[in-house]
Structures are given as structure tokens and as C-alpha cells.
């Protein structure tokens, strides 16, 4: 996993609620191999029309947002299907963080496991960021994970919460699976106890 | 005396392997279910040279990518699709995991197969790399969906790092009206609390209307917990649960059954237990529900009308609603009863169990699918298909003009090629009406199996209660 570095990057405003993972990446692309990358399919059906032409008004197609690394969205971003490909697609496109008033639970967890940072800010803070980003397309947002702070285009800091364990894993690029393998003895102990108590599973 | 606890807390507490001070819990996973979307997780395992820790606790079946017109992959030209289906069997074999393959009558949608085989038991922790794992909570298990990295983590360690979610009780009291089932109940719940209404919470469904639901109805309710944003959904185990579980292939037998039963009876929430949130609905008021938009929260009773965005004060919500109606091709104020449909899909992990098929068949019996409609029934498992055929349900459907297919996810998500054409309107018993879910430009309306059958035979949404009279 890649360590999360401080970001100072173009942010894309996406002011619709309940952006689900079917929209982030439609189901028909999930069978593609991971190594080919999923960025090309990000928001595929919103980005392109039936003839495969870009919709000029879809926000990611606007010239000002090329090279964006942060996405600012409305509530419940990433709801729906558990497909981790939603994170792969955002990541492969170049995004490293998303800011929203709330996220789909599974998407939130998947993000952290892939070095992608989901940031929860209040609905008012997100609304203010969205307004600024729409007023000045291509404006930058700073994401500082070590200080747990987002700085808007207007220079205003917005502190955010993230649990310390996840933060440290992200900052150091440490993988959870390696960490857990160190708990082997405790897992074995649990299994022994369980076999005595509930032998029927 | 110990402090009163909820069903959720009792299960959670028993599965803690390690508790960190910062709230992270290493939780033991009793049962892990896999399917044909689990390929990536096995890749991760392979990249690290790891093995499946508990193949005896891991079971799987291909469901998302399988054809429903035959039991052979021969007709499938797409190599990526073939690989998805074949890899689950191959990976399982390499790791000693039991998989019900395409040639096995036990194959089906994983969330149908788990309970059917007795793999899902009360008091368990159960996970699967699929968001509708919440389904299994209907048996009084703590069951939730996970992503591919987590699937790899469970395969390798049989554990997961979790933070304890908050608890929420949704009580539905009163008697459900005739023709009203689990699907209408959960759609009414989501319409009330919203698609993000239960984010961060484990839901317990309670109340007399829930307790009187059959196991099938309960599975439908818990299935759509994720559509309400919930981490998990569960129902306290009771006599209905025990009667359902008893005698299933992987359920405990003999003395082990007695011991399990005694333990399961201790699981229901203590009367004094407190939930972080409480929501109540009146079951008697619930009508057959139909969604009109592109979020499951966009649900209305069949007696209602498509809402008018002009009546919404919040600008963002108004825009979202306008977009949804534009996608769905609906005018505000249109009566829902009477909206014509071109496709009907009866199936998915929400509504493809034997009782669902019986309810739909009751409506279809002696009637004909409207000439303008293409309707299909896709049983949730090979065993359900057999059972339905032994009851003659397949004949009822076929005589009425429905297609009768093999088990799989099918048109719920269309990954196997069963798609709804752009612009077509589908009455679907599945769980998601997202844009493009059933195909690009497809317009999905979520309904119960009885309502889907009613739409099929009349050509438009119809209050099924009017067809069930007499
Ligand atoms: S039936 Fe639909 S919702 Fe259920 S597991 Fe299959 S694709 Fe997912």
C-alpha cells in the first residue's frame, strides 16, 4: 500500500447525494483484471454517451478538472455494492481523497485499505467547499492527513476526524493483513475456546 | 446481574479476539461465503503466498456471472466472464474449500444457498464479499458484506478488524394487510428513514409484524438493510427460525442440536437493552410498494402518485429528484398504478425463494402475461427450482407466458448478460434501482414478487390486492 502524502491538488465538485458504486464503475467492467487498471471506466456511463462520446457537461470531462486528485461529494458517497473496484477506479484515475458529509460504510473501509482517504466534514463545510469549487473551476484543496486538516480554496482550515490506527496505517503505508498475521496465537486461542463452547459450527 | 444487552451485542462480545484501546476490534468470523466475484481476493492471497486458514468454515457458489439459460458455460464467449465462474471452483479446489459448482443442484445465489444449506446459523458471525450479506441476519446472525481486501484478510486469518457499529431498532407493530409481505415492509422502512438512514448502525428488526413474517419474508427484510445504509440487519431467533434451520444439511444434529438450541434461546435482546436509535412503523398502514426513482428510498404505495419535485424546498434534493424522474421517464403526479412496464424480473437474493415463487404463481395462475411484456422467473437456487417444479409452479409460470430459468443473480445486476434494454421499464423483485443497474438506460422499479406478477399479467403496475380477491 502506498503511504499517504500531503495533497495540494485540483478538487472536483460532485454535488449529488447517494452516488453509488454502480455509477462509479458499472458492473460490466468488474470482470476485467486488476492489472489493466480501472481508471478508464470511472463513471463510465456518466462520462460517455451511447456512441462513446464524452458528455461535455459531466464534471470530470471539463477541462478545468483534468489532473484532479480530490473529489468533493454530497452525502452517502459510495453507497451500494461492496465492489472494491469503485476505489480502484478512483485511484487509477488519479484520485487520492474524497470529502463528503457521509460515505457508504463498505466503501469507507475499502478506501482505507487501498491508501485512499475518505474525509467526513459537516454538511455545511462540504456545501461551502462545493460552492467555492463551482465558482472557481480548477481551484485547489489541501489535504493534510498528519494534521487531520483540509484547507479550502479560501484558505479556511477544516479539521477532520479519523481514527488513529487507520491514520497511522495510511501515513506509513502499512498493510492491515501483515499486521493481523502477528495475532496468530490469539486467533488460535480463540478457536480452541470456541470449539469447546460451540462445537456445532 | 450482567448489564442488559442487545442481540447484536451478545454476538459481537462472543467473537472478540483482540480489543484495542482505540476501539478497533479483531473479530472472529465463524462462516465465510465466497462467490464468483471473489477472484481478486484469491489473487491477493497468491501474491503473498498465503493459504486459506479455515477451509472448513468457507463455502462458495458461483452466482453473478452464470448463465440462466443453461447449466453449461459453453455458450459464454466472453473469456473474462468464463474466468470469473471457473476461478471460484479452481481456487476452492486448490485451497480445500467446498464449492457448489454449476453442475451441483445446490448451486445458486450465495445468500439463498447459505440459509438453505444450514450454513447460516443463529449467533454466528458471517461475512461475504457482497453487500447483501446482511440477508443472513434474518436467522439471528451478525452478517455483513465486505470488500475484496477484507475477503483476502478473512481467508488468511479468519478475522476482521472492525469498529463496533451503533445499534438501531426498527419496530414494526401491528398486522400486515393481505397481500403485503417482507418486500413492502422493507421498502416502507427505507422510504421512511432514507437510503442513508441507518449508516453506521447494525439494525435489529422487531415488533409483531416482523415476528409473524415467515423466514423467507425475514430474509427479504434483512437483505435490504444495506439499501437503508445499515451495516447489518438482524432479527432475533425464535421458533420460526429454529423450525427453518432444523434438519438442514449443515445444521447441528442430535445432542449438538439440543445444545445449540439452548444457546440460541439466550440470544434475543434483553427486555431492558438500550439501542442507540429507535424507529417505529405501523404495519397495518403498509401498502404494496413501488419505487419510482433511482434510489431505493424513492418508494411509494401503489395507491400513490409520482411526487412533484416542485414541492421540495431543498435545492439539492429537488435537483436529484428531477434527474431521477428524467432518467425514469416519469411525469410528476402520474398515478403509479397504471404505469406500463415492458419487462418483469422475479428473482435475486431478495425475492427468489420458494415462498416468493408461490406468491407470484398465485397471481399468475390462470392468467396470461400481457403481450407487451417480457417476463422471467429465476429461482434462487437449483434446489428451489426443483421444489417449485415438484409443486407445479413452473407449469403455472410457463402457461402464463413467463420464462422459467436456471438459478443465478441474472437480471438483478445483468453481469451474466440478462439485461433490460435502454428505456425499458422493468418491474423487478431485486433490491437496487440505481441508474444502469439492470443495463444501461434501464428503468428499474422495485416491487414484491406478487406485485411483479401483477404487473406482468396486466402490463402495468396494478394493486395486487385487487387480483387476489375472491
Ligand atoms: S442477486 Fe443481485 S444483489 Fe443479490 S448477490 Fe446477486 S447481484 Fe447481488
Amino acid at each position: 500500500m502506498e503511504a499517504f502524502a500531503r495533497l495540494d491538488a485540483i478538487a472536483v465538485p460532485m454535488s449529488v447525494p447517494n452516488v453509488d458504486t454502480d455509477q462509479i464503475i458499472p458492473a460490466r467492467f468488474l470482470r476485467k483484471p486488476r492489472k489493466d487498471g480501472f481508471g478508464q471506466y470511472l463513471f463510465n456511463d456518466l462520462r460517455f454517451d451511447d456512441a462513446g462520446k464524452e458528455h461535455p457537461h459531466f464534471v470530470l470531462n471539463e477541462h478545468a478538472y483534468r489532473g484532479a486528485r480530490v473529489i468533493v461529494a454530497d452525502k452517502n458517497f459510495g453507497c451500494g455494492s461492496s465492489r472494491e473496484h469503485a476505489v480502484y477506479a478512483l485511484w487509477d484515475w488519479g484520485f487520492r481523497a474524497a470529502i463528503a458529509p457521509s460515505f457508504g460504510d463498505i466503501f469507507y473501509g475499502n478506501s482505507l485499505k487501498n491508501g485512499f482517504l475518505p474525509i467526513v466534514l459537516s454538511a455545511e463545510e462540504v456545501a461551502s467547499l462545493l460552492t467555492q469549487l463551482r465558482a472557481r473551476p480548477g481551484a485547489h484543496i489541501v489535504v493534510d492527513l498528519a494534521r487531520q486538516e483540509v484547507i479550502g480554496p479560501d484558505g479556511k482550515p477544516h479539521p477532520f476526524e479519523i481514527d488513529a490506527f487507520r491514520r497511522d496505517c495510511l501515513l506509513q503505508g502499512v498493510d492491515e493483513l501483515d499486521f493481523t498475521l502477528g495475532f496468530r496465537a490469539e486467533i488460535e486461542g480463540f478457536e480452541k475456546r470456541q470449539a469447546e463452547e460451540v462445537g456445532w459450527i | 446481574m450482567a448489564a442488559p444487552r442487545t442481540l447484536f451485542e451478545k454476538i459481537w462480545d462472543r467473537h472478540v479476539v483482540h480489543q484495542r484501546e482505540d476501539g478497533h476490534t479483531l473479530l472472529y468470523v465463524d462462516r465465510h461465503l465466497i462467490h464468483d466475484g471473489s477472484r481478486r481476493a484469491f489473487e491477493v492471497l497468491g501474491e503473498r503466498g498465503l493459504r486459506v486458514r479455515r477451509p472448513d468454515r468457507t463455502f462458495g457458489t458461483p452466482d453473478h456471472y452464470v448463465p440462466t439459460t443453461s447449466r453449461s458455460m459453453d455458450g459464454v464467449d466472453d473469456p473474462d466472464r468464463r474466468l470469473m465462474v471457473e476461478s471460484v471452483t479452481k481456487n476452492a479446489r486448490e485451497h480445500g474449500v467446498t464449492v457448489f459448482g454449476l453442475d451441483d443442484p445446490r448451486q445458486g445465489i450465495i445468500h439463498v444457498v447459505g440459509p438453505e444449506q444450514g450454513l447460516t446459523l443463529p449467533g454466528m458471525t458471517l461475512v461475504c464479499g457482497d453487500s447483501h450479506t446482511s440477508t443472513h441476519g434474518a436467522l439471528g446472525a451478525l452478517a455483513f458484506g465486505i470488500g475484496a481486501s477484507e475477503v483476502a484478510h478473512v481467508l488468511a486469518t479468519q478475522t476482521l478488524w472492525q469498529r463496533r457499529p451503533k445499534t438501531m431498532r426498527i419496530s414494526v407493530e401491528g398486522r400486515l394487510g393481505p397481500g403485503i409481505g417482507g418486500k413492502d415492509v422493507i421498502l416502507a422502512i427505507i422510504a421512511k428513514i432514507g437510503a442513508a438512514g441507518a449508516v453506521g448502525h447494525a439494525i435489529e428488526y422487531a415488533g409483531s409484524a416482523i415476528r409473524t413474517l415467515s423466514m423467507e419474508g425475514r430474509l427479504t427484510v434483512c437483505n435490504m438493510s444495506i439499501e437503508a445504509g445499515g451495516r447489518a440487519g438482524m432479527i432475533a431467533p425464535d421458533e420460526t427460525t429454529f423450525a427453518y434451520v432444523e434438519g438442514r444439511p449443515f445444521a447441528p444434529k442430535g445432542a449438538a442440536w439440543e445444545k445449540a438450541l439452548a444457546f440460541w434461546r439466550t440470544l434475543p435482546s434483553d427486555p431492558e437493552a438500550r439501542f442507540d436509535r429507535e424507529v417505529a412503523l405501523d404495519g397495518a398502514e403498509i401498502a404494496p410498494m413501488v419505487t419510482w426513482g433511482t434510489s431505493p428510498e424513492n418508494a411509494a404505495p401503489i395507491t400513490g402518485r409520482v411526487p412533484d419535485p416542485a414541492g421540495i424546498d431543498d435545492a439539492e434534493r429537488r435537483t436529484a429528484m428531477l434527474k431521477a424522474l428524467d432518467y425514469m421517464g416519469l411525469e410528476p403526479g402520474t398515478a403509479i398504478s397504471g404505469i406500463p412496464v415492458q419487462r418483469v424480473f422475479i428473482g435475486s437474493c431478495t425475492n427468489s425463494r420458494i415462498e416468493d415463487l408461490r406468491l407470484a404463481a398465485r397471481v399468475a395462475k390462470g392468467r396470461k402475461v400481457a403481450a407487451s411484456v417480457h417476463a422471467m422467473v429465476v429461482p434462487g437456487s437449483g434446489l428451489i427450482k426443483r421444489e417449485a417444479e415438484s409443486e407445479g409452479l413452473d407449469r403455472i409460470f410457463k402457461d402464463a407466458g413467463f420464462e422459467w430459468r436456471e438459478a443465478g443473480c441474472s437480471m438483478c445486476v445483468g453481469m451474466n448478460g440478462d439485461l433490460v434494454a435502454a428505456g425499458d421499464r422493468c418491474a423487478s423483485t431485486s433490491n437496487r434501482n440505481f441508474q444502469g443497474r439492470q443495463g444501461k438506460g434501464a428503468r428499474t422499479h422495485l416491487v414484491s414478487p406478487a406485485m411483479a406478477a401483477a404487473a406482468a399479467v396486466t402490463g402495468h403496475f396494478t394493486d395486487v390486492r385487487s387480483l387476489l380477491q375472491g
Side-chain angles (χ1 to χ4, degrees):
Chain A
M1 196 171 95
E2 198 176 298
F4 192 94
R6 184 177 185 272
L7 281 176
D8 182 345
I10 297 175
V12 177
M14 203 174 223
S15 29
V16 258
N18 301 321
V19 170
D20 55 74
T21 54
D22 273 78
Q23 287 179 54
I24 298 176
I25 179 162
R28 62 184 183 281
F29 301 117
L30 306 187
R31 54 180 182 263
K32 303 285 179 199
R34 175 75 191 94
K35 62 176 177 350
D36 292 358
F38 287 97
Q40 52 189 316
Y41 310 121
L42 179 67
F43 291 114
N44 189 85
D45 294 351
L46 298 174
R47 254 168 65 211
F48 302 106
D49 64 16
D50 290 334
K53 240 183 77 217
E54 284 194 356
H55 280 299
H57 299 305
F58 183 61
V59 69
L60 284 194
N61 290 335
E62 289 177 35
H63 193 75
Y65 299 114
R66 297 279 144 109
R69 291 164 76 74
V70 181
I71 190 160
V72 182
D74 203 338
K75 68 165 192 208
N76 208 17
F77 184 78
C79 61
S81 150
S82 61
R83 60 189 68 163
E84 201 152 310
H85 306 69
V87 182
Y88 302 157
L90 287 163
W91 178 274
D92 293 350
W93 176 275
F95 287 114
R96 293 294 175 266
I99 302 172
S102 62
F103 291 90
D105 280 338
I106 304 178
F107 176 84
Y108 188 89
N110 287 344
S111 297
L112 295 168
K113 293 192 175 63
N114 287 279
F116 184 88
L117 176 63
I119 301 170
V120 177
L121 292 181
S122 71
E124 293 72 38
E125 290 171 297
V126 171
S128 143
L129 291 176
L130 286 170
T131 310
Q132 295 175 53
L133 294 173
R134 276 194 303 255
R136 280 182 40 215
H140 278 221
I141 277 184
V142 173
V143 176
D144 194 328
L145 176 58
R147 301 177 57 158
Q148 292 185 213
E149 174 175 277
V150 166
I151 301 169
D154 57 358
K156 205 171 148 203
H158 303 275
F160 64 86
E161 293 293 324
I162 178 170
D163 78 58
F165 176 50
R166 301 287 189 209
R167 184 197 58 206
D168 296 347
C169 283
L170 273 176
L171 286 172
Q172 294 159 29
V174 172
D175 187 277
E176 205 176 85
L177 181 47
D178 285 333
F179 181 69
T180 311
L181 290 169
F183 285 84
R184 177 159 304 157
E186 275 175 88
I187 297 171
E188 275 166 11
F190 179 93
E191 286 175 333
K192 248 185 96 194
R193 270 199 319 279
Q194 196 193 45
E196 282 158 21
E197 285 171 20
V198 292
W200 60 79
I201 297 171
Chain B
M1 244 201 57
R5 288 182 302 167
T6 65
L7 165 64
F8 164 81
E9 287 160 345
K10 291 180 192 183
I11 301 179
W12 178 279
D13 291 350
R14 287 186 76 94
H15 289 87
V16 175
V17 174
H18 180 88
Q19 180 69 56
R20 283 168 57 101
E21 272 179 20
D22 61 11
H24 281 278
T25 306
L26 189 63
L27 207 63
Y28 194 77
V29 173
D30 289 335
R31 185 78 73 214
H32 186 195
L33 301 176
I34 61 169
H35 55 87
D36 51 6
S38 309
R39 190 175 103 208
R40 173 74 196 135
F42 280 95
E43 266 173 30
V44 173
L45 219 58
E47 284 160 13
R48 293 160 180 259
L50 293 167
R51 303 285 304 163
V52 176
R53 178 178 174 79
R54 293 298 300 265
D56 59 322
R57 298 287 184 101
T58 315
F59 289 80
T61 186
D63 50 11
H64 287 74
Y65 293 92
V66 304
T68 53
T69 44
S70 95
R71 288 292 76 172
S72 148
M73 290 301 286
D74 291 350
V76 179
D77 332 315
D78 181 344
D80 292 328
R81 225 183 99 196
R82 295 180 66 102
L83 191 62
M84 293 303 275
V85 173
E86 285 157 9
S87 64
V88 64
T89 318
K90 187 173 145 277
N91 288 326
R93 199 178 307 124
E94 278 168 16
H95 288 267
V97 167
T98 306
V99 159
F100 310 127
L102 259 193
D103 51 356
D104 189 318
R106 295 173 292 177
Q107 178 271 343
I109 306 170
I110 190 70
H111 308 311
V112 173
V113 170
E116 182 174 84
Q117 286 299 317
L119 291 166
T120 310
L121 298 171
M124 263 187 170
T125 48
L126 181 153
V127 302
C128 173
D130 186 276
S131 55
H132 289 101
T133 308
S134 59
T135 312
H136 307 260
L139 285 101
L142 172 59
F144 50 90
I146 56 179
S149 296
E150 288 175 314
V151 172
H153 192 278
V154 177
L155 288 173
T157 68
Q158 204 60 26
T159 62
L160 267 181
W161 288 101
Q162 291 285 302
R163 288 181 78 90
R164 195 186 189 105
K166 296 203 190 86
T167 55
M168 175 175 191
R169 177 160 58 191
I170 301 181
S171 305
V172 189
E173 297 289 354
R175 259 178 96 106
L176 299 175
I180 310 297
K183 186 61 157 286
D184 305 303
V185 171
I186 188 65
L187 285 174
I189 289 172
I190 299 168
K192 181 180 167 110
I193 70 173
V199 165
H201 289 75
I203 304 170
E204 179 174 339
Y205 302 96
S208 54
I210 299 290
R211 279 197 305 276
T212 51
L213 284 176
S214 65
M215 208 60 228
E216 280 88 349
R218 296 178 185 191
L219 288 158
T220 303
V221 169
C222 288
N223 174 269
M224 290 189 70
S225 302
I226 183 79
E227 272 64 53
R231 186 83 184 99
M234 54 213 307
I235 295 173
D238 60 8
E239 296 311 316
T240 303
T241 320
F242 308 143
Y244 177 90
V245 172
E246 190 169 11
R248 296 199 175 258
F250 293 91
K253 312 252 160 16
W257 169 260
E258 294 304 326
K259 196 174 163 205
L261 203 57
F263 167 61
W264 295 341
R265 290 190 197 284
T266 68
L267 288 172
S269 296
D270 299 326
E272 303 297 312
R274 286 178 52 91
F275 291 80
D276 296 306
R277 264 183 78 195
E278 296 263 11
V279 173
L281 266 81
D282 181 354
E285 277 181 9
I286 299 174
M289 300 292 284
V290 182
T291 65
W292 48 263
T294 53
S295 164
E297 69 183 29
N298 302 147
I302 179 69
T303 50
R305 289 176 182 277
V306 175
D308 190 347
I312 307 285
D313 290 337
D314 182 275
E316 300 281 354
R317 276 191 55 215
R318 190 166 55 239
T319 320
M321 194 189 262
L322 279 166
K323 269 183 127 163
L325 291 183
D326 179 51
Y327 180 83
M328 294 299 288
L330 290 173
E331 292 296 327
T334 310
I336 294 193
S337 171
I339 297 174
V341 303
Q342 289 77 43
R343 299 295 300 237
V344 169
F345 170 61
I346 298 176
S348 89
C349 57
T350 317
N351 282 126
S352 63
R353 298 178 185 83
I354 190 69
E355 183 188 273
D356 300 318
L357 304 190
R358 286 184 193 136
L359 287 169
R362 213 178 125 202
V363 177
K365 189 167 186 174
R367 296 192 169 97
K368 289 277 176 217
V369 171
S372 51
V373 175
H374 178 172
M376 62 195 256
V377 183
V378 185
S381 73
L383 292 179
I384 291 172
K385 180 165 187 269
R386 272 193 192 172
E387 190 176 356
E389 287 171 355
S390 75
E391 294 177 17
L393 304 184
D394 61 322
R395 282 257 56 95
I396 296 177
F397 286 123
K398 286 192 260 189
D399 288 348
F402 286 83
E403 279 190 51
W404 177 247
R405 295 282 187 95
E406 303 283 348
C409 293
S410 182
M411 199 175 271
C412 171
V413 69
M415 286 178 180
N416 74 335
D418 293 344
L419 290 165
V420 175
D424 272 4
R425 201 177 286 294
C426 181
S428 179
T429 66
S430 54
N431 45 46
R432 289 195 172 130
N433 53 353
F434 298 161
Q435 278 193 29
R437 170 81 177 179
Q438 294 187 296
K440 212 171 157 186
R443 294 164 169 161
T444 305
H445 295 266
L446 305 175
V447 289
S448 72
M451 283 290 286
V457 298
T458 59
H460 52 78
F461 290 113
T462 300
D463 192 331
V464 68
R465 293 173 294 191
S466 67
L467 300 183
L468 288 173
Q469 279 162 7

